[in-house]
């Protein structure tokens, strides 16, 4: 890589890089001028027939490994088991910089690792997992996840993963000011992730991504602070729930609680045309008369009973439509006559009911009057 490409320092061209070339350029430099050793040389340079020659196989990206159905998440560290800060520092003491670490406990009892380096620069800590069979084999797992919160310094948290055969893969996590001060969940794809590349050893594989074979055995997880913002060199961040999970799993075991956003009310469809046509085949309105929950409730004197329903109320509106071929006007007149008859019938039924009630109420009065007349007639005799 060119010396001015600091982000790609140490990388070598490979099939992946050559698979998509964006531009080609020629640069001419004069070493004597660069070294302040005299005037620049002058003259003409002529280029012709610039070609790419030779044969190579086309670049084929490595496929992500299929995850077995029994692949289960691995907890690297949730920081809950440490009795005190000294125990945590011993577990993460594979480097000489544990003075930047502290074990912090939240109000709800949750424990997490706090990294604080007021002077900036690269200071790393690490935990050793090679002899822990429950944590060092990541076969079939797809993501490294953890919870992170920080002070928005625009510096970086660096993470390195070391394999048993001595390779280290490195990824940067910017402590961006726009992240805010709350916990956030970070997910890092392990295989074929261009942000997670080999940083050591500096051999022909430096800059290459992790493969499925690299997941078989890990020995170390390294966390470091790195100063990117020269105006604010201090590096501060907190880490919790460091895990390796299958690609499709939810990684945050302690999700942030957020208020539920009110859902938008569903718009009621416009059924006016169907209702006007009174067609139950296309209109979702049920034309059948529905019984109320308690039609016999005596507390509601206006509540009709089944016997008070007008005839035909249980039939859909189509039952009153004129038959095919009939005159529409005649059909309308017939409907009006039927409706009038139903209304009259209802009135008659109501009048009959009132007459019966009145007769029952008057009967005792008439009986009492007749008895009184009979008694007076006997006394006169």
């Amino acid at each position: 890589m060119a010396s001015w490409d600091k982000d790609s320092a140490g990388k070598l061209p490979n099939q992946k890089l050559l698979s998509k070339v964006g531009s080609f350029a020629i640069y001419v430099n004069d070493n004597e001028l660069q070294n302040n050793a005299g005037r620049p040389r002058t003259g003409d340079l002529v280029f012709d027939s610039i070609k790419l020659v030779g044969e190579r196989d086309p670049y084929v990206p490595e496929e992500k490994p299929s995850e077995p159905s029994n692949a289960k998440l691995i907890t690297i560290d949730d920081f809950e088991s440490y009795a005190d800060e000294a125990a945590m520092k011993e577990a993460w003491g594979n480097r000489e910089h544990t003075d930047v670490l502290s074990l912090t406990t939240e109000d709800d009892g949750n424990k997490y690792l706090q990294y604080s380096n007021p002077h900036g620069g690269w200071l790393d800590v690490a935990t050793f997992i090679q002899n822990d069979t429950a944590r060092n084999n990541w076969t079939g797992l797809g993501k490294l996840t953890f919870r992170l919160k920080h002070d928005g310094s625009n510096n970086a948290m660096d993470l390195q993963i070391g394999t048993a055969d001595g390779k280290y893969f490195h990824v940067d996590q910017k402590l961006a000011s726009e992240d805010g001060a709350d916990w956030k969940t970070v997910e890092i794809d392990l295989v074929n992730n261009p942000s997670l590349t080999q940083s050591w050893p500096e051999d022909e594989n430096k800059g290459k991504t992790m493969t499925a074979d690299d997941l078989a055995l890990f020995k170390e997880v390294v966390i470091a602070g790195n100063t990117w913002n020269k105006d604010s060199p201090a590096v501060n961040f907190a880490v919790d729930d460091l895990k390796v999970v299958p690609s499709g799993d939810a990684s945050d075991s302690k999700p942030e609680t957020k208020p539920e956003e009110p859902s938008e009310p569903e718009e009621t469809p416009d059924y006016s045309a169907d209702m006007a046509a009174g067609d139950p085949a296309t209109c979702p309105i049920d034309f059948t008369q529905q019984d109320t929950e308690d039609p016999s409730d005596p507390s509601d004197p206006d509540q009709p009973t089944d016997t008070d329903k007008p005839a035909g109320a249980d039939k859909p509106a189509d039952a009153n439509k004129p038959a095919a071929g009939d005159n529409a006007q005649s059909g309308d007149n017939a409907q009006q006559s039927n409706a009038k008859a139903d209304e009259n019938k209802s009135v008659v039924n109501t009048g009959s009911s009132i007459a019966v009630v009145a007769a029952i109420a008057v009967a005792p009065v008439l009986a009492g009057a007749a008895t009184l007349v009979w008694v007076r007639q006997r006394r006169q005799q």
Side-chain angles (χ1 to χ4, degrees):
M1 296 299 176
S3 59
W4 44 260
D5 187 0
K6 302 299 183 183
D7 293 338
S8 303
K11 291 184 179 179
L12 299 176
N14 54 40
Q15 283 194 347
K16 183 177 180 179
L17 291 173
L18 295 175
S19 66
K20 192 174 183 180
V21 176
S23 62
F24 172 78
I26 295 175
Y27 294 86
V28 179
N29 200 3
D30 191 310
N31 289 332
E32 287 191 6
L33 177 63
Q34 182 176 345
N35 298 328
N36 298 318
R39 297 188 306 169
R41 296 189 178 106
T42 61
D44 296 332
L45 296 176
V46 178
F47 297 91
D48 190 16
S49 300
I50 298 175
K51 301 177 181 178
L52 288 174
V53 298
E55 296 180 358
R56 66 176 176 87
D57 294 329
Y59 169 68
V60 179
E62 295 183 36
E63 295 182 358
K64 292 186 177 182
S66 59
E67 296 173 356
S69 59
N70 61 348
K72 297 180 180 180
L73 67 84
I74 296 173
T75 299
I76 303 301
D77 205 337
D78 61 7
F79 306 98
E80 299 297 331
S81 62
Y82 300 119
D84 51 31
E85 187 172 291
M88 184 271 293
K89 288 185 175 182
E90 181 179 358
W92 284 85
N94 284 16
R95 301 292 188 272
E96 299 177 354
H97 307 298
T98 55
D99 54 312
V100 300
L101 296 183
S102 59
L103 182 65
T104 305
T105 304
E106 294 180 305
D107 294 339
D108 61 359
N110 176 58
K111 299 177 183 178
Y112 61 86
L113 178 149
Q114 179 67 49
Y115 181 105
S116 300
N117 177 11
H119 307 295
W122 175 279
L123 295 178
D124 52 359
V125 296
T127 186
F128 198 62
I129 61 175
Q130 184 168 9
N131 296 326
D132 188 343
T133 57
R135 297 192 302 163
N136 59 22
N137 187 348
W138 299 358
T139 302
L141 300 175
K143 291 180 182 290
L144 177 68
T145 76
F146 55 92
R147 296 201 309 151
L148 174 70
K149 68 176 180 178
H150 55 84
D151 58 359
S153 64
N154 288 322
N155 290 307
M157 168 194 167
D158 286 36
L159 190 69
Q160 288 182 323
I161 311 168
T163 63
D165 58 357
K167 290 186 290 186
Y168 280 82
F169 294 87
H170 174 97
V171 64
D172 296 310
Q173 181 65 38
K174 183 179 179 180
L175 308 178
S177 56
E178 58 268 22
D179 287 348
D182 296 329
W183 286 105
K184 60 175 290 187
T185 298
V186 179
E187 296 186 350
I188 300 171
D189 290 323
L190 294 173
V191 177
N192 300 328
N193 182 357
S195 298
L196 179 66
T197 58
Q198 181 178 320
S199 58
W200 183 264
E202 295 183 344
D203 55 17
E204 67 277 6
N205 292 319
K206 183 176 180 179
K208 288 187 175 181
T209 59
M210 186 180 294
T211 67
D213 293 336
D214 294 319
L215 300 177
L217 192 62
F218 286 88
K219 69 175 183 180
E220 194 175 32
V221 176
V222 183
I223 293 176
N226 198 3
T227 297
W228 286 7
N229 182 5
K230 303 300 181 183
D231 296 330
S232 180
V235 184
N236 298 285
F237 57 84
V239 176
D240 196 5
D241 294 323
L242 187 62
K243 299 178 180 180
V244 190
V245 302
S247 295
D249 278 15
S251 59
D252 193 357
S253 63
K254 300 172 184 175
E256 300 83 353
T257 55
K258 296 180 179 180
E260 293 185 2
E261 297 181 359
S263 58
E264 293 292 331
E266 295 184 2
E267 183 177 354
T268 303
D270 183 7
Y271 295 124
S272 56
D274 291 332
M275 293 175 66
D279 185 0
T282 57
C283 179
I285 304 300
D286 186 2
F287 287 93
T288 303
Q289 181 71 30
Q290 300 292 331
D291 294 335
T292 58
E293 293 182 1
D294 188 7
S296 60
D297 185 0
S299 62
D300 188 358
D302 296 328
Q303 179 67 46
T305 62
D306 291 342
T307 57
D308 293 329
K309 290 182 180 178
D314 292 333
K315 296 180 180 180
D318 284 9
N320 293 326
K321 287 185 177 179
D326 291 348
N327 183 276
Q329 182 66 38
S330 299
D332 291 340
N333 292 337
Q335 290 182 15
Q336 293 176 4
S337 299
N338 291 338
K340 187 65 175 178
D342 290 342
E343 181 181 352
N344 293 337
K345 183 178 179 180
S346 178
V347 172
V348 171
N349 289 341
T350 304
S352 300
S353 299
I354 294 174
V356 171
V357 173
I360 295 173
V362 171
V365 177
L366 295 177
T371 303
L372 180 60
V373 172
W374 179 78
V375 170
R376 287 180 176 177
Q377 292 177 352
R378 290 294 301 265
R379 288 180 179 176
Q380 290 176 359
Q381 292 176 1

